[in-house]
Amino acid sequence: MLPLGTKAPNFKLFDTISGTSVSLNSAKGEKGTVVMFICNHCPYVKAVIEDIVSTCNALEKDGIKSLAIMSNDTINYPEDSFENMINFAKIHKFDSINYLIDETQDIAKKYGAVCTPDFFCYNKNLELQYRGRFRELKDLKPINNGDSDLKLAMKLICETQKGPANQIPSMGCNIKWFNN
């Protein structure tokens, strides 16, 4: 796990939304940046995707940008193919989220991502301040309807440049690594 305060590894990945390559440095938010590792088929992602999108839309109004990265093996998991990523982004209205493909899985490794969804929240200087869950789930259903752990963390980061002291790790499906 990357220690809090670690500078975000830069990347340049192809975006399903714009059809161009997007770098972290060009897409970062003025007040903070959320980098999340998701995929199309994971039941944990599906359980919270609407809430993720609405949270990212709200955070964008506060100067926080959101980038979603899909790092799974698309040969053994074709539901996560680039074409299906485009459809997933359209269905779920990724208006304020760049949905990027990590074809080599190098970026997931650099970030130490282990599951989908997995969240990394950075302050305006791209220093890691939160690495944790989106919200508490039980049987793939949210425990409460208030603000998510991620939204509360990003609001704190936006105000203080520091994340919360209590951070609960993400839970989800493991990233589908290539069989090397």
Side-chain angles (χ1 to χ4, degrees):
M1 187 165 152
L2 293 176
L4 295 179
T6 300
K7 196 84 165 159
N10 194 23
F11 53 78
K12 191 171 188 179
L13 298 171
F14 202 73
D15 181 24
T16 61
I17 310 301
S18 67
T20 63
S21 291
V22 172
S23 74
L24 173 63
N25 288 332
S26 69
K28 71 179 183 173
E30 180 186 323
K31 294 185 179 176
T33 305
V34 176
V35 176
M36 66 188 97
F37 290 82
I38 67 170
C39 70
N40 307 331
H41 85 274
C42 172
Y44 290 90
V45 172
K46 288 179 177 181
V48 294
I49 193 63
E50 288 180 22
D51 201 5
I52 289 172
V53 171
S54 66
T55 296
C56 292
N57 289 341
L59 291 174
E60 185 176 48
K61 293 174 186 165
D62 292 331
I64 299 164
K65 294 287 188 179
S66 300
L67 299 108
I69 300 173
M70 201 298 297
S71 298
N72 279 353
D73 171 357
T74 58
I75 294 167
N76 290 309
Y77 298 88
E79 193 174 343
D80 292 332
S81 71
F82 187 73
E83 294 76 24
N84 286 328
M85 288 174 63
I86 293 169
N87 292 334
F88 190 82
K90 285 180 184 174
I91 289 167
H92 296 289
K93 299 180 173 84
F94 278 29
D95 298 331
S96 62
I97 303 170
N98 293 93
Y99 195 17
L100 313 169
I101 188 163
D102 177 17
E103 294 177 294
T104 64
Q105 300 183 322
D106 289 343
I107 304 310
K109 290 174 184 170
K110 284 181 183 176
Y111 276 75
V114 295
C115 64
T116 58
D118 207 355
F119 298 92
F120 300 78
C121 299
Y122 295 89
N123 63 19
K124 66 181 179 183
N125 300 318
L126 290 177
E127 298 162 336
L128 183 64
Q129 297 300 318
Y130 180 77
R131 165 125 191 243
R133 69 183 181 190
F134 182 75
R135 71 163 60 250
E136 184 178 4
L137 298 176
K138 181 176 180 171
D139 300 325
L140 296 176
K141 303 261 187 280
I143 296 295
N144 66 48
N145 293 327
D147 284 340
S148 65
D149 295 15
L150 179 117
K151 186 173 186 178
L152 294 171
M154 282 311 300
K155 287 195 170 277
L156 181 64
I157 292 166
C158 199
E159 292 168 9
T160 67
Q161 296 303 301
K162 297 288 183 193
N166 185 27
Q167 300 188 14
I168 299 169
S170 293
M171 185 171 148
C173 299
N174 64 311
I175 291 182
K176 308 307 183 215
W177 301 106
F178 298 126
N179 295 326
N180 294 338

